[in-house]
Amino acid sequence: MMRLAAISLAALLVSACTTTDARGDDPIYLEQAPARQTYESPLAAAEALIGNHPETMEGGPTLNLQFAPLASDPSRLEMTVLIEPLLDDSIAAQEWRAVLMQGDDFRWRITELGLRQKCYRSGSRDEWVARLCL
């Protein structure tokens, strides 16, 4: 958990941009700088994001992992990873969104990475936000 929290915090502090939904409303994902690393498979890329989740069975942890061809470019793969709850009293859930591309060497790399969270201490616990939870 500490590794995941440290990675999340470092990534959030480094980023300054957000992506927006199709309507141009509030940000949906906080853009992250993807690691300059390649992976043997999309599942290995997911493992790099989730670390050792779940660390314990406290809170009934769940993880939802989805892969689908990217709608705007079917040669790329869109991956979403939903983790809830976290062992953090401020974060109810995290969702990572990554776009992966397979190289000529058949290895995968993350070309886009974003994070959004549900915060326990916000006005609406069911609202996804692209910011730190306080």
Side-chain angles (χ1 to χ4, degrees), residues 88-100:
D88 184 318
D89 64 353
S90 63
I91 303 170
Q94 283 187 331
E95 183 177 70
W96 292 90
R97 177 192 175 270
V99 175
L100 294 101

Side-chain angles (χ1 to χ4, degrees), residues 33-105:
R36 293 182 172 193
Q37 183 174 344
T38 60
Y39 304 93
E40 290 184 28
S41 68
L43 193 54
E47 184 180 18
L49 289 177
I50 62 170
N52 62 346
H53 180 81
E55 288 182 77
T56 72
M57 293 306 294
E58 181 181 342
T62 63
L63 181 124
N64 183 344
L65 174 62
Q66 296 181 3
F67 295 103
L70 186 62
S72 61
D73 182 357
S75 70
R76 294 176 186 242
L77 188 63
E78 181 176 39
M79 173 179 70
T80 56
V81 181
L82 173 63
I83 302 168
E84 61 182 334
L86 280 81
L87 295 179
D88 184 318
D89 64 353
S90 63
I91 303 170
Q94 283 187 331
E95 183 177 70
W96 292 90
R97 177 192 175 270
V99 175
L100 294 101
M101 183 174 81
Q102 191 173 33
D104 294 335
D105 60 356

